[in-house]
Amino acid sequence: MNDKEETPDTYLDDETYGYPNAYDPNFKGPVAKRSCTDVLCCIIFILFIIAYILLGLVAWIHGDPRRVAYPTDSKGHFCGQKGTSNENKTILFYFNLFSCTSPSVVVNLQCPTTQICVSKCPEKFLTYMEIEFAHKTSQNYSTYYSQFCKTPFGKPAKALAQLLLDDDCPTAIFPSKPFLQRCFPDFATNNGTLTVGNKTTFEDGSGRTRNAIELRTAANRVNKILDARAVGMKIFEDYATTWYWILIGLTIAMLLSCMFVILLRFIAGILFWVFMVGVIGIIGYGIWHCYQEYNNLQGRPNSHLSVYDLGIQTDLSMYFQLKQTWLAFMIILCILEVFIILMLIFLRERIRISITLLKEGSKAIGCIPTTLIYPILTFIFISICIAYWAVIAIYLATSGVPIYKVIAPEGKCKHENTTCNPEIFNTTEIAKACPEAQCNFAFYGGKSLYHQYVPTFQMFNLFVFFWLINFVIALGQCALAGAFASYYWAFRKPDDIPPHPLFTAFGRAIRYHTGSLAFGSLLLALIQMFKIVLEYLDRRLKDPQNNISKFLQCCLKCCFWCLENVIKYFNRNAYVMIAIYGKNFCRSARDAFNLLMRNILKIAVMDKVTDFVLILGKILVAGCIGMLAFLLFTQRLPTIIEGPTSLNYYWVPLLTVIIGSYLVAHGFFSVYAMCIDTIFICFCEDMERNNGSTGKPYFIAPTLHGTLKKMQLVPQKQKE
């Protein structure tokens, strides 16, 4: 049997070639003859995907996203919904906003007062008692007031006591403005005094005099529920204003990353120092800017407050008015600058090897240019997974029928928080026992089997989402590893490289190793779910925790974080072995671990230093684009180009551009990192299989071989 006919994946005795788990020395590249691996995990993975699709269909049938977009009145009707009586009534109005100070607001996420849909918010102070007298002189007062009642009327026909009992109208209205489709008091500050409608005190319609501070306290209770949505609306406005600038920034980041990848092939040494100087310069500019901001805040009122004094604020710009914030940023950047400089000093010899390895990686990418396009495919797959998860989460959250619960203004009714029927509530014993209680809409739900398991379905949705995301990443790593392994094991490059290596490797991964990739992805998904559960428990048990339990929580989080990163590292190397030899996940992970442990010195010298160089490249791309975006969004380039002038939070598009640029650079450089990792593992295999003789020559490139030989990382040539 000649070399081409020999089976390249045959395992030999451990002692035959002097190292554990020796492979067939006639190996010449990725195994062509394969069989399906981890079939059971593949079947389970497919069943989970089918169940995921069925869950999406069921959620689509029961859910209604309009429940997120529209506010809901006390009867569970949408405000502003087309085809209903509320079509022209798009704003939610609260009868008695003072009742929103009740603790039930936090429990039920609903204010314990009647809520109706109105076409506009009130613009003046009026009480029901005032319109009883004003109606005698002018009917306009009654007409204006009645639009904020359940049923409009021409003249006030009920006494105040009966009105409160029937809950038909508010006892008083105040000047308000629509905010997130809800009427909130029109607060203002006059000479440091809080006012509403230019008044500091006013009548609440029930004989009590109230002040603006009390009203603000009540409104803040509702605002705490809506603050996240308020910030979301402002962020949406900023994105609507700057979306084309963001796209331009990401396009420049893509071109810059592509240019770096191409130049690494020809001037890797010079480009490395460009990375170094660029990153050090950008961080230096950040230090200088933080110092300038810190110095400018000297003497300003309240700038000496700490972040702890300020507390949790939804307006993040308030934190940038504190000296402590800029001082913390400056210290972090100084530490990062010193760390990078020290790394350059102590790793200067190893960086020379990394530059040579980068050149070899550039040659591989140059021979297989389609690998640079693959991150786009990964991005599309991940975007589909994220969109599907978000849609299912929304439909599950809005599943069910309106559920009504008993709410008492003072929270003293023993039947509070029990379910009720608004149609017959006034005739029930609860209404007699608690005259002030109301039967208001609480949320959407139900008592069917489906509605009882909606929280479980949400957890299932999140788990399968993690599994799919990790699978997409694993598929990309395995496909790229197969393509670059074909490059390395080609003795005459590029003549011996098989045609369409990336397409072939992708097809092998899907056809034969879906189960193995799903196995590795499942391990990561389980760890990530445990982390989510720990975070959930930490938030739920935050108040009653003692120091010991907090310490244990921190230890568990740290352990799972370390475990996740270790699993990611070994999975990555296992996928390389799967792409080359076609074995199952456990066997590939074991072989990769043994191979790396036998070459631990080479790992310390080559692998991680190269990752450090690539990370600096990503930081440089994100830093350059981020610095330009900062100058643009803060109006510091008016003479060159005029950026957006009406942003709520300039840091929203800025962070989007920085993070997006880093992810774009990561997409390109991740191909590089996968290429280098594959070449490194193949290099370790090459060193163990061959001795550089005529019969067993090295497959490593001559330039890389010469550099490694000088650093004594390859064995001396043995005699035949």
Side-chain angles (χ1 to χ4, degrees), residues 87-393:
E87 181 175 355
N88 297 322
K89 300 178 180 180
T90 60
I91 308 171
L92 190 68
F93 173 72
Y94 298 90
F95 269 26
N96 183 12
L97 200 60
F98 288 106
S99 64
C100 296
T101 56
S102 170
S104 61
V105 174
V106 179
V107 176
N108 299 311
L109 299 181
Q110 287 284 339
C111 186
T113 185
T114 300
Q115 302 163 35
I116 64 171
C117 301
V118 296
S119 57
K120 63 178 182 179
C121 295
E123 300 171 348
K124 61 182 72 173
F125 285 101
L126 271 179
T127 65
Y128 187 78
M129 296 180 65
E130 288 175 347
I131 67 165
E132 288 183 318
F133 296 101
H135 176 72
K136 298 176 181 178
T137 58
S138 175
Q139 190 175 354
N140 293 334
Y141 284 96
S142 299
T143 304
Y144 180 81
Y145 196 90
S146 67
Q147 64 182 322
F148 303 106
C149 298
K150 291 180 180 179
T151 304
F153 55 83
K155 63 177 182 178
K158 295 182 179 180
L160 179 62
Q162 187 64 35
L163 179 79
L164 293 174
L165 184 63
D166 296 340
D167 197 33
D168 284 337
C169 292
T171 57
I173 57 175
F174 318 106
S176 305
K177 287 185 176 181
F179 175 70
L180 294 177
Q181 295 179 275
R182 290 162 174 83
C183 291
F184 282 102
D186 184 13
F187 293 112
T189 303
N190 187 6
N191 295 326
T193 303
L194 183 69
T195 63
V196 55
N198 296 324
K199 288 186 178 182
T200 56
T201 59
F202 46 86
E203 297 291 329
D204 67 354
S206 59
R208 297 178 60 183
T209 301
R210 302 277 193 164
N211 57 49
I213 296 178
E214 291 181 86
L215 189 58
R216 184 181 65 176
T217 302
N220 283 342
R221 278 299 183 96
V222 183
N223 275 336
K224 286 182 179 179
I225 303 171
L226 304 174
D227 269 344
R229 188 172 177 181
V231 174
M233 292 294 292
K234 292 182 179 179
I235 290 175
F236 178 79
E237 292 175 0
D238 290 339
Y239 279 133
T241 305
T242 61
W243 65 270
Y244 52 92
W245 293 109
I246 294 173
L247 288 180
I248 292 173
L250 296 181
T251 303
I252 296 174
M254 182 182 67
L255 296 176
L256 193 61
S257 302
C258 188
M259 183 186 70
F260 282 161
V261 169
I262 295 173
L263 291 178
L264 277 171
R265 181 176 182 180
F266 304 102
I267 52 172
I270 297 175
L271 203 60
F272 167 76
W273 290 111
V274 171
F275 285 174
M276 298 301 103
V277 175
V279 170
I280 292 174
I282 289 173
I283 296 176
Y285 173 80
I287 294 172
W288 176 82
H289 177 73
C290 292
Y291 174 76
Q292 288 291 105
E293 293 290 341
Y294 178 83
N295 193 48
N296 292 336
L297 289 174
Q298 295 284 358
R300 290 191 182 182
N302 299 327
S303 64
H304 64 282
L305 296 175
S306 65
V307 176
Y308 178 80
D309 295 329
L310 195 61
I312 300 176
Q313 300 290 333
T314 55
D315 186 1
L316 299 183
S317 62
M318 297 180 65
Y319 294 109
F320 296 108
Q321 305 301 320
L322 304 179
K323 293 192 299 182
Q324 186 188 69
T325 302
W326 294 107
L327 180 62
F329 286 160
M330 186 168 60
I331 293 173
I332 292 172
L333 291 177
C334 287
I335 293 174
L336 184 61
E337 186 91 322
V338 172
F339 173 76
I340 292 176
I341 294 174
L342 291 177
M343 290 285 287
L344 292 176
I345 294 173
F346 290 106
L347 298 177
R348 59 187 182 277
E349 292 297 328
R350 297 179 181 180
I351 288 173
R352 289 175 51 200
I353 305 174
S354 298
I355 292 174
T356 307
L357 199 58
L358 287 171
K359 290 181 179 179
E360 187 63 24
S362 295
K363 292 179 182 178
I365 294 175
C367 293
I368 316 175
T370 52
T371 54
L372 290 177
I373 306 175
Y374 192 86
I376 299 176
L377 185 62
T378 300
F379 174 78
I380 293 173
F381 286 157
I382 291 178
S383 299
I384 293 172
C385 293
I386 293 174
Y388 190 76
W389 165 78
V391 168
I392 289 183

Side-chain angles (χ1 to χ4, degrees), residues 705-718:
H705 179 270
T707 303
L708 297 178
K709 189 174 182 180
K710 289 179 183 179
M711 299 298 296
Q712 299 181 349
L713 293 180
V714 297
Q716 298 296 322
K717 183 177 179 180
Q718 300 176 4

Side-chain angles (χ1 to χ4, degrees), residues 668-688:
F668 282 90
F669 285 104
S670 64
V671 175
Y672 230 109
M674 200 66 213
C675 175
I676 292 172
D677 284 350
T678 304
I679 290 176
F680 175 72
I681 288 181
C682 292
F683 159 72
C684 294
E685 284 284 304
D686 195 10
M687 292 301 102
E688 292 189 349

